[in-house]
Amino acid sequence: LRPTIFPTSWPDGVSAGMHLDLACSDVAAEVARHEALGASVVRRVPGDWTTLRDPAGRDYCVTARPT
């Protein structure tokens, strides 16, 4: 496992913070597993990624692993 960190910022230069991206081979199955563990879906981008929110309120993404 090698994390890749991409800091983000808003157009005014203020940091937008960071969140975790988890890559997998089956986004739908992985999202369902996370929902069963208490996460809620924030946004779905079919065929690409899904943003979830953990029970503590932190957002993260489940993405398709690049081929």
Side-chain angles (χ1 to χ4, degrees):
L1 182 69
R2 276 184 288 162
T4 302
I5 299 173
F6 298 103
T8 58
S9 62
W10 297 107
D12 62 5
V14 175
S15 175
M18 290 190 211
H19 71 265
L20 183 65
D21 282 356
L22 302 172
C24 64
S25 56
D26 186 341
V27 172
E30 193 63 17
V31 167
R33 188 175 80 83
H34 286 245
E35 287 180 296
L37 293 169
S40 57
V41 171
V42 174
R43 179 179 179 206
R44 291 183 199 270
V45 178
D48 207 357
W49 80 85
T50 298
T51 303
L52 296 116
R53 183 164 293 133
D54 71 19
R58 294 174 294 250
D59 290 352
Y60 64 98
C61 293
V62 173
T63 67
R65 181 171 285 134
T67 56

